[in-house]
Amino acid sequence: MKRKLFSAMLGAFALLLLMGAASTPTQPAATLLAEEESAALKETALETEAESRDAKFTQAVVAAAGVDPTSVAVPVTPENTMFIDGQSAPQSLNRRSVLGTTYVALAAIAQELDPAAQSSWDGETMTVTTEKLSLTAKVGQLYMVANGRYFYIPEQVQLDEAGQVSVPLRAAAKAFDAAVDYDPATATITVTRGTGAAISGESFYNQDDLFWLERVIYRESGNQSLEGQMAVGNVVLNRVADPIFPNTVEEVLAQKNQFSTYKSGVLRKTEPSASSTIAAKLVMDGGVVEETKGALFFDSGVNSWAARNKKLIATFGDHNFYG
């Protein structure tokens, strides 16, 4: 999209250059002055028209793509405001866009969502605590942990230019059980406080689903990256959500000719790794690997049923994923 907007600006600029080149240097001074004033007016009109066209184009692309505007790279200007329970959000949040995701300073947003929040830093990990919440965010990690819940951060926990630990606004809000909304008409982000903390992982995660999911992830992709393991977990949960498949993780795994390790009893006896458990919790908490989004099948070969009958979505790690 940025390339299209840039091309439109170059086109307008080239048109202005051609208009300037058409001026005749031998004309009388008074005529030149009049034409320069006229050209200036035309130039202003062209710029206004181009800006309007670009703005409409941007809005159309965002709307057509179905993108959550909160995650769109919107410049932080006085016109692009953010409110927390009706009050203007402070500059200390250091709001910025990272590859289309709105990031904020974790310690600052924690203070805004709970003034009693205490933050500490050990050089790698920030810990935030309140009466209801225990949160950790390690720089460079693909997730943060809040009350035993695992929230996926595709662009990682980061340090911003001011040296503050920075996380996606939506992830921070989720940890504090706050809601985030966006008004495209005014480019305004609104954060509304909730209970002050996400419910615990012990209460949130269905233990039976977790039991089977962490084990099948380990069996099928234990040698893959964390996101490679998540992608396999996404396939299982995509099936659970799809009406043509069963409604629970175990029932999906028990389907005929699907997961042989379940029928053999090997899966039940499998001891999951720490990373497969984390991957299972990440996808159960809504984490989706974008590259394999929507996949219902995966394999590691070239002659599987899915390879012959389904559309390849992506190859990720050692697996092919199909829709």
Side-chain angles (χ1 to χ4, degrees):
M1 183 179 73
K2 290 182 179 178
R3 285 197 296 271
K4 290 181 180 179
L5 294 176
F6 184 63
S7 297
M9 292 174 66
L10 284 178
F13 183 64
L15 179 60
L16 294 176
L17 288 177
L18 288 173
M19 290 175 60
S23 301
T24 305
T26 58
Q27 289 178 290
T31 302
L32 285 173
L33 178 60
E35 290 191 356
E36 287 173 358
E37 291 175 346
S38 175
L41 290 173
K42 290 180 180 178
E43 181 178 341
T44 300
L46 283 171
E47 289 177 349
T48 301
E49 181 182 351
E51 289 173 359
S52 175
R53 186 169 57 249
D54 290 346
K56 290 178 180 178
F57 177 77
T58 301
Q59 293 170 1
V61 170
V62 170
V67 178
D68 178 359
T70 307
S71 298
V72 174
V74 181
V76 180
T77 69
E79 291 73 37
N80 301 315
T81 53
M82 176 176 166
F83 294 90
I84 300 176
D85 277 356
Q87 301 297 314
S88 294
Q91 291 297 314
S92 60
L93 295 183
N94 201 20
R95 182 161 55 100
R96 63 199 178 97
S97 178
V98 178
L99 297 178
T101 297
T102 301
Y103 269 63
V104 292
L106 177 56
I109 191 67
Q111 279 282 307
E112 290 301 312
L113 296 177
D114 186 339
Q118 298 292 319
S119 300
S120 61
W121 167 248
D122 67 3
E124 289 186 342
T125 302
M126 173 161 283
T127 300
V128 177
T129 56
T130 72
E131 287 186 0
K132 299 179 179 180
L133 178 67
S134 175
L135 181 156
T136 58
K138 183 177 181 178
V139 173
Q141 219 161 38
L142 289 166
Y143 58 88
M144 67 182 195
V145 186
N147 282 355
R149 301 269 297 280
Y150 284 72
F151 302 152
Y152 180 43
I153 302 178
E155 304 307 329
Q156 303 180 344
V157 177
Q158 300 188 8
L159 284 179
D160 63 21
E161 67 278 6
Q164 302 175 94
V165 175
S166 186
V167 299
L169 171 61
R170 284 196 175 276
K174 187 176 180 179
F176 281 85
D177 187 40
V180 179
D181 294 299
Y182 180 80
D183 181 356
T186 59
T188 300
I189 296 173
T190 301
V191 179
T192 305
R193 294 183 180 90
T195 63
I199 65 172
S200 72
E202 199 170 291
S203 300
F204 180 82
Y205 299 122
N206 179 294
Q207 295 303 307
D208 189 57
D209 284 348
L210 177 60
F211 176 91
W212 291 109
L213 190 60
E214 63 186 350
R215 282 164 173 76
V216 74
I217 287 174
Y218 178 70
R219 274 286 169 182
E220 299 289 346
S221 58
N223 63 339
Q224 301 296 293
S225 68
L226 180 62
E227 287 179 307
Q229 294 179 65
M230 287 177 64
V232 167
N234 282 152
V235 168
V236 176
L237 292 190
N238 286 346
R239 291 190 179 192
V240 172
D242 193 301
I244 70 171
F245 290 97
N247 298 324
T248 70
V249 172
E250 183 178 7
E251 289 172 342
V252 163
L253 301 181
Q255 274 194 299
K256 186 178 179 180
N257 299 326
Q258 295 301 305
F259 295 89
S260 59
T261 54
Y262 177 86
K263 185 177 181 180
S264 69
V266 170
L267 201 57
R268 180 181 290 276
K269 298 175 183 177
T270 296
E271 186 66 29
S273 65
S275 64
S276 67
T277 299
I278 290 171
K281 289 181 177 180
L282 285 168
V283 297
M284 289 178 72
D285 230 311
V288 175
V289 177
E290 186 64 28
E291 290 87 344
T292 61
K293 187 175 182 179
L296 290 169
F297 303 87
F298 67 90
D299 65 27
S300 57
V302 294
N303 196 36
S304 69
W305 179 88
R308 298 192 305 271
N309 295 279
K310 294 297 179 179
K311 181 180 178 181
L312 178 67
I313 292 177
T315 297
F316 197 83
D318 290 343
H319 288 101
N320 302 312
F321 292 85
Y322 307 88

